[in-house]
Amino acid sequence: MSTHDAVVMGCSAGGLSALQRVLPGLDRHLAVPVVLCCHTGSADVSLLVELLARVCPLPVTEAQERAPADPGVVHVAPSGYHLLVEDNFRFSLSVDARVAYARPSIDVLFETAAEAWRERLVAVLMTGANSDGANGIAAVRRAGGYAVVQEPATAEADVMPRAALELAGADACLTLDAIAAKINELCLP
Amino acid sequence: MDVEDIEIQLFVRAMQLRHGYDFSDYAPASLKRRIQQLVRTHDAGTISGLTTRLLHDQDFLRKAVEGLSVPVSEMFRDPPVFRALRDKVFPVLASYAEINIWQAGCAHGQEVYSLAIMLEEAGLYDRTRIYATDFNDAALAAAAEGIYATRDARDWSRNYLEAGGKHSFSDYYSARYEFIKLDRRLRRHVTFINHNLVTDKVFCEAHLILCRNVLIYFSNALQDRTLGLFRDSLVRGGFLCLGTRENIDFSPAAAGFTDIDQAMRIYQAGGSGARPLAR
């Protein structure tokens, strides 16, 4: 029986190669939504979606506002918008001010996902050169969810995982190669 | 029920009963974040603290409205949208003797002036009237001023060129220290009006309505009602332009529109009714 109903992931600098390491390990029978916020700096995420789709056993798509967070699908936050999860597990978008200089902000995704899925959420924070995501990890843990932070010494940029560990700690601190197995363990039916 | 959720409902109810602003049909997640931000900005301690000030402090309403509206924008945001408007919509607008455009939710006016510049360069501006509306008076006042930070102008110059601008963006403003002031002439056909999409009705007969990234804050029901308002405000064959990530697949009223450019979210009033409703 799976103990968790959804996965949110966040990364920034070095994020693409980290995701290319992690996503191939996801089990194709994973029946929970995976929601991804990666700062790319480009005007749209279609290239990121395409690159990740090549290596991921699950379908990868840009998150659509108002649509449900479908199980067994990797949803990528669009560029230039905050991606939020509503209490009915559907996505909404906002163009409110940047949070920690970022839009999409990992904090915004994690905090709203934590309110929606509460203790049934797994959050994964990886490489990045800013502290976005730290408040989000704290919110996930406060709600009783499971927080995974990449082992900072193994991160291409360690500021993001370090900031999260300092602020909120984690339920598991893992290398990239161990992250997919942990997600499968927590979420497989 | 979560205490904070109760507090939010009471705050929203107070806004409605005391001041007539209705946020009850906003998408909850963003609204909650904005209300929490208001608590921090005004050091209110709790959302109930905000509600108390809303009820007893006359001047607080203005601050609450500012905090709950989104004045974040840029000039020529999503340049390809402006190119699409110029190539696909302007040629149709050119067939009208007088052109009415409704910019719904104009915030600080960046989009209004972007549009004015495009119309000017297309030779259409002198027969155009732009009605720029927002429910936030402070934003409307700022929009009418047309003063922005110089540090934004560089990005906007690039956007302007990508949008197909024919000259140089700097032709349209004067710079002083850290501010740019847009040419007053760009305002000559713009009317700024307070209008609330949630509570107000149709007020003009428009050939084009721009409303980008406003409906993303609305529930499905309110989005649907607003699309109906837009449909009723447009002449037959009039155009609607939404934000490039907006999704109208859940709205029955969207059947009143036909896709002109799906990627740019440009629609034309008068649909076949064939648009399938999503679940």
Side-chain angles (χ1 to χ4, degrees):
Chain A
M1 221 21 226
S2 84
T3 52
H4 292 80
D5 294 339
V7 179
V8 289
M9 303 178 79
C11 50
S12 183
L16 174 60
S17 50
L19 290 165
Q20 286 174 322
R21 284 270 287 282
V22 173
L23 296 190
L26 294 180
D27 192 293
R28 66 190 177 83
H29 297 108
L30 210 60
V32 302
V34 178
V35 190
L36 192 67
C37 175
C38 177
H39 307 149
T40 61
S42 69
D44 81 273
V45 292
S46 56
L47 181 63
L48 177 68
V49 166
E50 195 185 316
L51 291 172
L52 296 179
R54 283 186 201 160
V55 299
C56 181
L58 302 172
V60 182
T61 174
E62 185 179 314
Q64 300 288 321
E65 73 139 2
R66 298 178 196 276
D70 286 323
V73 175
V74 178
H75 305 266
V76 180
S79 298
Y81 295 82
H82 293 305
L83 178 65
L84 301 88
V85 180
E86 298 287 345
D87 285 346
N88 58 6
F89 312 116
R90 286 172 179 264
F91 293 120
S92 60
L93 298 175
S94 108
V95 286
D96 283 7
R98 290 163 189 275
V99 176
Y101 306 102
R103 195 176 59 213
S105 142
I106 301 168
D107 283 337
V108 171
L109 171 64
F110 283 15
E111 287 168 11
T112 55
E115 295 210 5
W117 280 296
R118 313 211 59 89
E119 77 285 355
R120 308 278 300 175
L121 179 69
V122 179
V124 180
L125 190 69
M126 300 179 291
T127 170
N130 58 62
S131 62
D132 189 15
N135 288 320
I137 286 287
V140 169
R141 300 201 77 199
R142 267 199 310 275
Y146 193 96
V148 178
V149 174
Q150 182 182 1
E151 171 63 58
T154 68
E156 195 170 318
D158 68 357
V159 177
M160 186 173 282
R162 257 183 223 293
L165 289 175
E166 267 166 38
L167 182 73
D171 297 285
C173 193
L174 303 173
T175 63
L176 288 178
D177 291 330
I179 289 175
K182 177 55 81 179
I183 293 172
N184 293 338
E185 174 197 324
L186 294 167
C187 300
L188 270 180
Chain B
M1 194 176 180
D2 191 80
V3 170
E4 199 176 40
D5 290 336
I6 296 173
E7 288 184 287
I8 287 173
Q9 284 199 14
L10 294 174
F11 175 82
V12 167
R13 194 78 183 115
M15 274 303 267
Q16 201 172 2
L17 290 173
R18 181 86 171 98
H19 302 290
Y21 286 92
D22 185 0
F23 289 93
S24 61
D25 238 342
Y26 271 53
S30 284
L31 181 64
K32 184 175 193 169
R33 294 190 66 87
R34 285 188 189 167
I35 294 174
Q36 288 166 336
Q37 183 60 48
L38 265 180
V39 171
R40 287 191 292 271
T41 307
H42 297 289
D43 225 355
T46 60
I47 296 171
S48 300
L50 275 187
T51 309
T52 302
R53 292 187 61 182
L54 193 64
L55 293 173
H56 299 291
D57 176 354
Q58 267 311 327
D59 299 332
F60 190 68
L61 172 68
R62 187 179 50 80
K63 295 172 187 159
V65 166
E66 276 175 52
L68 296 176
S69 75
V70 210
V72 183
S73 188
E74 55 187 277
M75 289 193 72
F76 301 99
R77 181 182 165 121
D78 306 317
V81 171
F82 285 90
R83 254 201 329 265
L85 286 172
R86 188 196 59 189
D87 296 344
K88 297 179 179 173
V89 175
F90 285 12
V92 182
L93 296 184
S95 65
Y96 297 105
E98 288 177 347
I99 304 164
N100 284 334
I101 298 178
W102 179 11
Q103 169 83 51
C106 70
H108 285 174
Q110 290 94 331
E111 197 132 299
V112 178
Y113 293 115
S114 306
L115 195 62
I117 288 171
M118 296 298 284
L119 289 161
E120 186 90 279
E121 294 188 1
L124 296 174
Y125 195 39
D126 280 327
R127 24 179 178 136
T128 301
R129 170 64 42 194
I130 301 178
Y131 298 95
T133 66
D134 204 280
F135 73 90
N136 176 354
D137 279 328
L140 281 172
E145 286 284 319
I147 295 174
Y148 305 102
T150 302
R151 66 182 132 78
D152 291 329
R154 202 172 327 126
D155 286 342
W156 296 355
S157 287
R158 199 175 52 230
N159 284 357
Y160 164 80
L161 292 174
E162 281 177 39
K166 291 178 180 163
H167 307 289
S168 162
F169 179 51
S170 60
D171 295 348
Y172 294 100
Y173 66 78
S174 49
R176 186 165 299 176
Y177 307 108
E178 64 268 42
F179 294 103
I180 62 166
K181 182 162 178 43
L182 291 181
D183 189 340
R184 300 287 300 173
R185 279 178 51 78
L186 291 173
R187 267 204 58 180
R188 69 191 188 278
H189 301 304
V190 183
T191 308
F192 292 98
I193 306 170
N194 188 303
H195 179 277
N196 189 331
L197 288 171
V198 182
T199 45
D200 294 334
K201 302 278 181 284
V202 173
F203 78 99
C204 71
E205 191 168 67
H207 300 97
L208 165 65
I209 296 175
L210 274 101
C211 183
R212 300 206 299 152
N213 298 328
V214 175
L215 306 187
I216 56 175
Y217 295 101
F218 291 0
S219 72
N220 286 6
L222 184 54
Q223 180 204 37
D224 183 56
R225 214 170 76 215
T226 310
L227 287 173
L229 175 71
F230 289 161
R231 185 196 54 216
D232 296 344
S233 304
L234 284 168
V235 301
R236 186 151 186 86
F239 296 91
L240 172 65
C241 179
L242 303 175
T244 57
R245 292 296 180 272
E246 292 192 49
N247 181 356
I248 62 171
D249 291 349
F250 296 94
S251 161
F257 295 95
T258 310
D259 289 350
I260 294 299
D261 186 328
Q262 166 58 18
M264 299 299 127
R265 301 296 193 271
I266 299 173
Y267 308 93
Q268 197 165 20
S272 57
R275 181 186 291 280
L277 260 192
R279 281 184 301 122

